[in-house]
Amino acid sequence: MTLNALEKTEKTDVDLRILDKLGDEQAYREAIREWLGDAKRRFDALKAESDPSYYDTQQWWMAERSKVGLATPHWPKEYGGVDLSLENQVILAEEMARGDAPPMGMFVVSLNHIPHTLMAWGTEEQKKKYLPQVAKGQVWCQGFSEPGAGSDLASLRTRAVRDGDHYVVNGQKIWSSMSMWASHCILLARTDPDAQKHAGISYFLMDMKAPGVEVRPIKQSNTESEFAELFLTDVRIPASEMVGAEGQGWKVSQSTLSAERGVLSFEGGERLRYEVERFLASAVREDAAWLRDAGMRREFMRLFGEVQACRRFYRKLLKETREHSPMLAATVPQIKIINTVLRKEYSAFATRAQGLEGQFMVEEKLVRGVEGSQPLFNYISSFAGTIAGGSNEIMRNILSERILGMPKG
């Protein structure tokens, strides 16, 4: 399926004035549900005619959200958003999860990291240049981690040297999600090699089509290539594309990383809840063998209880974010550890419960990128969650050293 084919599917008979109903919670929820149902029916019809790629699917879904004002609802109005309140963002996230809407995987950096960073640190020119393009399908990637600077990000060695009104960048980045589709990259590079390692870093907005940028996708154990390596050779970045002042990159990056918290994490927790419920419903319909095993039933109920507890923890995170609570510093690493371990344990259970048959079912999903839940696929992928966004070992160090005041070593 091509983008041109997707663009021909704009006609709909559903009343899509969702944002007119913000004053009435029930009407707002029902409008979202009606729109989601209509969008999914039209997409199912498209899938029956052709085989859309992941890229085309994501671009189609972004276009659908844009039509009803839900592409960037949490952004300020002057940059293309609608200033949606936190309460209404939560309702939207709940309904997206409930309706099993496509997650915005390709646009995580574009929708969350970019605005969170530019709103706090960007110039007005940078905001007006880049933010409106996201709702039109512009994909961004992140150039932070390096082969020798992942968990210890401040040890990065990619170098940016000032040359007139440009910086010349040389180095290598790794684990850059969706970079094979990205038009731009948020990049950390060392501008002062003699400064203390946190102080010598600067933050750039890099054009992925600039000469000297090479993207090499990384084949994962689940056969997908969500990540890539970036090789930067004499890449020239205008000085005007620096975010914040020279040497402030570490501080700016903390705004970027904090965007992974809040509503984005909350929606992920809601999606897991419905995934677990669908798994159980399917097992009951099919009279799965594991339901007759007392040990596996106990294990499932323990995991189900932890899913519900995690959902409450996400609400605690949102409350602390809204109230700027000093407890937020402790909640964030806790929920990162709890959530990633839970996903790993649940996908391991689901893989065992599905049995040998599930080992054969995985092939079609891996080859064709079929949307939906596949336990073995999810289990293989779950290990990345314990590393991405700060490894769980680093999170435990933060809790012990910074929150509990325990000595290092």
Side-chain angles (χ1 to χ4, degrees):
M1 179 185 296
T2 65
L3 282 178
N4 288 336
L6 290 172
E7 288 167 357
K8 294 177 182 177
T9 66
E10 294 187 5
K11 187 178 184 303
T12 175
D13 296 325
V14 177
D15 178 8
L16 298 176
R17 291 177 295 177
I18 297 172
L19 299 178
D20 293 343
K21 300 174 174 63
L22 288 175
D24 184 330
E25 179 181 327
Q26 188 57 37
Y28 174 54
R29 283 187 183 276
E30 289 175 357
I32 294 172
R33 290 177 187 179
E34 184 180 21
W35 163 69
L36 279 174
D38 177 69
K40 290 193 71 175
R41 282 190 296 273
R42 286 183 289 116
F43 186 62
D44 286 343
L46 285 169
K47 286 196 297 184
E49 296 176 3
S50 56
D51 188 12
S53 68
Y54 175 73
Y55 178 85
D56 280 349
T57 298
Q58 289 279 287
Q59 289 288 333
W60 182 87
W61 185 232
M62 175 61 85
E64 289 296 299
R65 292 180 61 141
S66 293
K67 292 175 197 173
V68 294
L70 296 179
T72 56
H74 52 303
W75 294 13
K77 291 181 179 178
E78 59 265 36
Y79 304 115
V82 292
D83 270 329
L84 208 62
S85 69
L86 180 60
E87 289 75 16
N88 282 323
Q89 289 180 54
V90 167
I91 292 172
L92 177 60
E94 287 175 336
E95 294 304 322
M96 289 290 190
R98 177 185 177 277
D100 196 23
M104 299 302 294
M106 182 187 290
F107 295 98
V108 168
V109 175
S110 306
L111 288 172
N112 298 280
H113 299 62
I114 296 303
H116 211 74
T117 303
L118 292 186
M119 297 300 180
W121 294 91
T123 64
E124 196 63 25
E125 180 182 358
Q126 289 170 341
K127 295 173 189 175
K128 290 180 177 178
K129 178 179 179 181
Y130 291 117
L131 293 179
Q133 299 303 313
V134 171
K136 298 177 182 179
Q138 189 177 75
V139 179
W140 283 70
C141 65
Q142 184 170 307
F144 283 18
S145 295
E146 298 183 4
S151 297
D152 184 15
L153 182 59
S155 295
L156 63 87
R157 293 182 293 177
T158 293
R159 187 83 164 88
V161 179
R162 185 74 183 247
D163 180 23
D165 57 357
H166 284 73
Y167 283 84
V168 180
V169 182
N170 285 277
Q172 179 185 355
K173 297 294 179 177
I174 198 167
W175 311 126
S176 181
S177 302
M178 311 301 171
S179 52
M180 61 289 294
W181 293 303
S183 63
H184 289 79
C185 174
I186 47 177
L187 181 77
L188 291 181
R190 191 164 298 285
T191 46
D192 186 352
D194 299 321
Q196 290 186 341
K197 63 180 186 178
H198 289 82
I201 297 171
S202 297
Y203 195 113
F204 298 92
L205 307 175
M206 181 179 72
D207 187 343
M208 291 291 285
K209 295 181 177 63
V213 178
E214 181 184 359
V215 181
R216 298 183 191 173
I218 299 171
K219 198 76 167 180
Q220 300 161 229
S221 59
N222 60 16
T223 81
E224 289 195 339
S225 295
E226 300 170 86
F227 311 105
E229 293 178 278
L230 305 182
F231 293 87
L232 311 176
T233 306
D234 294 332
V235 179
R236 296 182 67 82
I237 302 178
S240 60
E241 300 293 70
M242 178 182 286
V243 182
E246 185 173 298
Q248 283 189 316
W250 185 259
K251 291 182 179 179
V252 178
S253 71
Q254 301 314 295
S255 295
T256 301
L257 296 174
S258 68
E260 297 179 357
R261 307 161 190 163
V263 178
L264 179 63
S265 299
F266 169 81
E267 184 176 330
E270 293 298 291
R271 287 181 181 275
L272 181 59
R273 168 247 178 124
Y274 287 111
E275 180 183 331
V276 172
E277 291 179 355
R278 286 193 296 269
F279 182 83
L280 176 60
S282 176
V284 171
R285 282 195 310 271
E286 298 170 6
D287 190 26
W290 71 266
L291 290 173
R292 296 186 290 278
D293 184 308
M296 293 197 75
R297 290 200 305 271
R298 282 195 298 270
E299 184 177 358
F300 176 83
M301 290 310 300
R302 176 184 66 80
L303 290 167
F304 185 76
E306 289 187 14
V307 168
Q308 301 300 337
C310 203
R311 291 178 63 219
R312 292 182 63 87
F313 209 178
Y314 278 125
R315 284 167 167 75
K316 178 176 184 287
L317 174 67
L318 291 173
K319 182 174 184 292
E320 291 175 355
T321 301
R322 182 176 59 247
E323 297 175 355
H324 304 288
S325 169
M327 295 301 296
L328 186 62
T331 300
V332 168
Q334 286 182 74
I335 203 166
K336 200 274 182 181
I337 296 169
I338 292 170
N339 177 58
T340 54
V341 171
L342 172 59
R343 287 176 180 274
K344 194 172 172 183
E345 290 183 346
Y346 168 68
S347 59
F349 168 83
T351 299
R352 284 188 287 108
Q354 202 171 54
L356 184 61
E357 181 182 356
Q359 317 307 308
F360 296 99
M361 289 171 58
V362 75
E363 182 178 357
E364 183 181 6
K365 176 176 175 59
L366 295 182
V367 172
R368 298 180 60 246
V370 176
E371 293 288 340
S373 172
Q374 212 300 323
L376 179 58
F377 178 89
N378 292 343
Y379 175 66
I380 295 171
S381 302
S382 69
F383 289 83
T386 64
I387 301 171
S391 70
N392 284 9
E393 289 76 16
I394 293 295
M395 295 297 108
R396 292 185 179 97
N397 285 342
I398 290 174
L399 283 170
S400 60
E401 296 170 7
R402 300 182 190 176
I403 307 301
L404 300 177
M406 297 173 67
K408 294 184 179 182

